[in-house]
Amino acid sequence: MPDDQALYRGLYRIRRFEETVLNEFSSGLFYGTTHTYLGQEANAVGVLDHLQKEDIVFSNHRCHGHFIAYGGDPRALFAELMGKKTGVTGGRGGSQHIHWKNFYSNGILGSTVPVGTGAALAEKFKDSNAVTIIFLGDGTLGQGVVYESLNLASLWDVPVLFVVENNRIAQTTPIELAVAGEIPPRFNAFGIPTTELNTSDVCEILPTARELIAEIRGEAAPRALILHTHRFGPHSKGDDTRPEEEIKRLHAKHDPIKIHAERLDKNARTIIETEIDAQISEAFDLAKNDPLPAYI
Amino acid sequence: MSTVLESLNTSLHQAMTRDERVYMIGEDLMDPYGGAFKVTRGLSTEFPERVLTTPVSEAGIVGLAGGMALRGLRPVVEIMFGDFITLAADQLINGITKFHWMYNQQVNVPIVVRLPMGGRRGYGPTHSQTLEKLFLGVPGLRVLAPSALGNPGDLLERAILEDDGPVLFVENKLLYLQDIIDPSAEAEFVLISNTTTETYAPTYSLTLRDSPPPILTLTAYGYMAELARAAVLKLAYEHEIFCEMIVLTQLSPFESKTLLPVPLLTSIQRTQRLLTIEEGGITMGWGAEVVARASEAVGDALQSATRVAARDIPIPASVSMEEMVLPSVDTIVQAAKKMV
């Protein structure tokens, strides 16, 4: 179990990165679009803390938090968002299409689910003992290929953890208009054991994820983890149609940073925040001065 | 003498023997059935651990194979009828063919997707099409189509074992039972196989043995090369029109520098007339691209160009109507006669 300070560092790093992205978008330094992870930080930190070197992560359009929790370099991600040569994928992929070590993301919702399942199956064939984590959201539950993948994962005992981050909203469409019935039975129907957590507390997500990942590694079989969570920011940049009071309420009740901050004394918190603020600010400045690709 | 089907089946056995990273994935692959067209027959008996018979989930299995390829395996997917590849189009276009480039050349995706395509078996509108034109020009994707010429199995084996990128391998269903035409044993035609540095897929040129210089270039691929070959004989013996026929086995990408395979360009420069023949629908098709490239490459040397292709309507089930939609030896002969 990592200590509370390390967890806070992990959560706060994502928060500062994403706040910087949203704040600086208007300055014109970033190019294209982005989907921030604000409010969902505890999911990435809680799940990915247990990864071993050989483990694999498939992420989606909202991938910054996953990437940073995986150990990705904030400067390379800033640079990628700015289209710089030093970006994670040299400016080719942008915010949603990055790859580093065993981390892969793609911007087509659901398309990563069969690919991640195949990656996990390959590792099983290779006897590498690797576990693959596939992140998806409530919106992605509308994609048919997800269910083809669940079927394959269960039929062939694929060592994969499906993590559904249910933030109850797909772009602007609330879950009530997009997801019929309940989420867990969609996994149970394929014989995939499913665990549900309704929390923004990293200390609640952490032990559950650890247990599931250990089970997957031991049994070589799939599991699903449904994390009911909250998106504080807009879907991408300025497209939040929810009332401001609603966002304020979410911040007050479900902020993973605030929840975990309670476990640290003020002094320790300030030291961490100052340190991370400086790291993120330095990463941003370095990326800003990095060159754009000169040729293709 | 062996058939195209035997050649492909043998090459799959060889590929799986030579490289244990090769996996076969598809619907109904298990023996004794061995795949809808029997191309994979025997594999599940010989390599039970590496042949995965799957649910009916084309998008799922193509995506899955993409993930396996990302992690160092060399999967081969059989799509039972090539028509069903549209179900996996997103996996190919927004994933598999992009990963290498989009992830800044840090990954390879060595996957071969085999597609039995084509009509004249009465399977009707959704099981008879020639849909590869939808995938021609997709960046990062190689589209190959064997004919009965040369060595179709070798082309497949090289795609599986040597190509580090994604390949669509288009197999016309009527080719399966055709005997392979061995260049060295060919009496009627002079058959020359050409390769370039840009691809391992050969281009073939055929001319009638001891005939006068050709005045028309025909180009085709897959089963249409068989019809075109019959048309070349008919044109020579019944109409005294002598043709050179160029058969491509790589449909996409085209040559980056010369725009078209050199044997095709030199033939066009000689004859100044180009007739393209394909089984897919005529509009926005392979022939249209070949003609455009020929025009760009040789300019005024191209005096006339014509496309023979399927009409732009669904493939009917009825045998009489199917014949009205698809190109035939007669339609090729008629088109050629109009050009000279």
Side-chain angles (χ1 to χ4, degrees):
Chain A
M1 186 92 174
D3 62 44
D4 284 336
Q5 295 202 11
L7 288 173
Y8 192 68
R9 214 172 256 120
L11 296 168
Y12 189 76
R13 186 178 292 117
I14 299 171
R15 175 64 54 93
R16 279 305 298 144
F17 181 90
E18 294 292 56
E19 284 176 348
T20 309
V21 169
L22 268 193
N23 292 340
E24 294 288 343
F25 233 100
S26 53
S27 71
L29 280 167
F30 295 115
Y31 191 64
T33 192
T34 192
H35 308 91
T36 62
Y37 201 59
L38 297 166
Q40 304 183 200
E41 294 91 341
N43 306 339
V45 173
V47 172
L48 299 182
D49 199 68
H50 311 286
L51 290 197
Q52 297 181 4
K53 195 169 158 254
E54 67 272 19
D55 293 342
I56 298 169
V57 178
F58 276 83
S59 176
N60 50 14
H61 63 303
R62 204 173 298 288
C63 64
H64 304 170
H66 305 146
F67 176 75
I68 291 170
Y70 177 75
D73 178 7
R75 175 206 179 165
L77 189 53
F78 275 136
E80 187 61 39
L81 269 63
M82 295 173 186
K84 300 295 180 73
K85 202 175 145 183
T86 50
V88 185
T89 50
R92 290 183 176 196
S95 169
Q96 323 181 59
H97 317 97
I98 55 177
H99 162 64
W100 178 67
K101 292 189 178 175
N102 288 341
F103 184 98
Y104 309 84
S105 77
N106 198 352
I108 301 285
L109 294 191
S111 78
T112 49
V113 183
V115 179
T117 303
L121 182 65
E123 296 303 319
K124 181 180 175 174
F125 287 146
K126 294 187 313 192
D127 288 323
S128 75
N129 211 28
V131 170
T132 298
I133 314 282
I134 303 176
F135 284 100
L136 52 155
D138 49 298
T140 298
L141 296 175
Q143 296 283 22
V145 78
V146 170
Y147 304 97
E148 295 183 21
S149 308
L150 300 183
N151 191 39
L152 292 166
S154 184
L155 279 171
W156 297 343
D157 295 323
V158 179
V160 59
L161 177 63
F162 299 102
V163 180
V164 178
E165 295 182 84
N166 173 24
N167 62 21
R168 304 191 60 82
I169 188 161
Q171 192 142 340
T172 62
T173 304
I175 189 165
E176 292 77 14
L177 299 183
V179 180
E182 301 298 319
I183 298 174
R186 293 170 180 238
F187 292 86
N188 294 333
F190 294 99
I192 299 175
T194 303
T195 306
E196 220 175 343
L197 284 180
N198 192 353
T199 181
S200 293
D201 185 350
V202 69
C203 288
E204 286 185 42
I205 296 170
L206 205 72
T208 305
R210 181 178 52 218
E211 202 172 304
L212 292 175
I213 290 171
E215 281 175 23
I216 295 165
R217 213 182 298 281
E219 294 173 30
R223 295 285 186 275
L225 175 61
I226 320 290
L227 298 173
H228 299 288
T229 188
H230 302 280
R231 193 189 83 199
F232 291 175
H235 164 71
S236 56
K237 292 173 289 181
D239 52 2
D240 210 332
T241 50
R242 297 172 293 183
E244 230 171 272
E245 305 79 67
E246 167 72 0
I247 308 290
K248 274 191 192 145
R249 196 187 62 79
L250 295 181
H251 272 279
K253 280 186 70 179
H254 301 289
D255 187 340
I257 282 70
K258 277 188 203 150
I259 291 169
H260 194 65
E262 299 295 324
R263 300 195 175 97
L264 274 66
D265 68 53
K266 192 161 182 277
N267 195 29
R269 237 166 59 201
T270 312
I271 292 172
I272 291 171
E273 289 173 8
T274 313
E275 176 199 318
I276 303 279
D277 287 351
Q279 275 177 12
I280 295 295
S281 159
E282 191 197 354
F284 179 79
D285 288 339
L286 285 170
K288 201 162 67 174
N289 292 317
D290 283 338
L292 283 165
Y295 58 88
I296 207 165
Chain B
M1 193 178 291
S2 75
T3 62
V4 171
L5 179 67
E6 286 160 354
S7 170
L8 296 175
N9 178 259
T10 303
S11 82
L12 291 177
H13 278 272
Q14 276 175 10
M16 292 195 82
T17 303
R18 287 181 182 161
D19 192 334
E20 60 181 24
R21 295 171 299 173
V22 178
Y23 282 75
M24 217 52 61
I25 302 166
E27 296 158 17
D28 300 288
L29 297 191
M30 300 300 266
D31 292 329
Y33 191 66
F37 295 99
K38 314 304 168 202
V39 182
T40 52
R41 184 179 268 170
L43 294 172
S44 70
T45 305
E46 200 177 336
F47 309 98
E49 305 289 316
R50 288 192 279 139
V51 177
L52 308 177
T53 200
T54 75
V56 183
S57 304
E58 283 78 11
I61 63 175
V62 169
L64 180 107
M68 291 169 72
L70 269 180
R71 301 301 303 176
L73 302 181
R74 303 188 82 89
V76 180
V77 180
E78 173 172 296
I79 299 295
M80 184 185 286
F81 283 78
D83 310 63
F84 311 160
I85 192 60
T86 53
L87 291 155
D90 174 66
Q91 286 300 323
L92 287 167
I93 293 172
N94 283 319
I96 288 163
T97 57
K98 283 200 172 54
F99 291 146
H100 173 74
W101 193 90
M102 173 168 103
Y103 294 150
N104 212 10
Q105 291 159 328
Q106 301 176 87
V107 301
N108 288 320
V109 194
I111 168 180
V112 175
V113 181
R114 296 184 30 250
L115 304 175
M117 290 281 193
R120 291 200 164 89
R121 289 183 63 146
Y123 293 152
T126 65
H127 288 58
S128 308
Q129 298 165 93
T130 299
L131 289 183
E132 59 268 17
K133 76 171 182 180
L134 301 177
F135 293 89
L136 303 182
V138 171
L141 181 64
R142 194 188 303 277
V143 183
L144 300 176
S147 69
L149 306 178
N151 195 335
D154 182 63
L155 186 65
L156 178 57
E157 201 175 328
R158 295 187 71 172
I160 297 169
L161 298 180
E162 295 172 24
D163 202 320
D164 286 331
V167 174
L168 285 190
F169 196 84
V170 181
E171 303 165 7
N172 186 288
K173 298 191 277 275
L174 292 195
L175 276 180
Y176 286 140
L177 300 181
Q178 296 280 327
D179 286 326
I180 285 182
I181 299 160
D182 175 3
S184 58
E186 180 55 43
E188 213 158 23
F189 287 95
V190 179
L191 172 57
I192 300 165
S193 166
N194 303 273
T195 44
T196 69
T197 51
E198 284 192 45
T199 175
Y200 51 88
T203 298
Y204 297 96
S205 69
L206 281 95
T207 42
L208 266 180
R209 204 172 283 281
D210 304 322
S211 69
I215 57 163
L216 171 64
T217 300
L218 270 58
T219 186
Y221 67 88
Y223 179 68
M224 283 297 117
E226 291 297 289
L227 299 191
R229 206 157 49 90
V232 168
L233 290 173
K234 216 168 173 182
L235 285 163
Y237 294 135
E238 294 176 19
H239 306 283
E240 293 194 3
I241 298 170
F242 297 97
C243 305
E244 178 170 16
M245 180 170 122
I246 308 291
V247 177
L248 272 56
T249 58
Q250 177 164 316
L251 310 184
S252 188
F254 281 103
E255 278 66 9
S256 57
K257 292 200 183 74
T258 56
L259 301 183
L260 287 172
V262 172
L264 180 54
L265 280 181
T266 33
S267 179
I268 296 166
Q269 272 156 342
R270 265 197 303 269
T271 65
Q272 308 198 328
R273 297 181 181 90
L274 173 63
L275 176 59
T276 68
I277 303 146
E278 70 201 293
E279 191 173 325
I282 190 162
T283 303
M284 313 288 171
W286 171 78
E289 181 69 18
V290 171
V291 170
R293 284 171 173 264
S295 173
E296 287 171 25
V298 307
D300 290 346
L302 182 62
Q303 282 179 13
S304 68
T306 302
R307 294 168 294 160
V308 167
R311 292 164 64 189
D312 286 326
I313 53 174
I315 314 290
S318 157
V319 63
S320 64
M321 286 198 289
E322 197 178 26
E323 210 46 49
M324 293 175 215
V325 173
L326 298 176
S328 64
V329 175
D330 270 348
T331 50
I332 300 168
V333 168
Q334 292 314 317
K337 279 171 65 185
K338 280 189 196 149
M339 293 180 75
V340 297

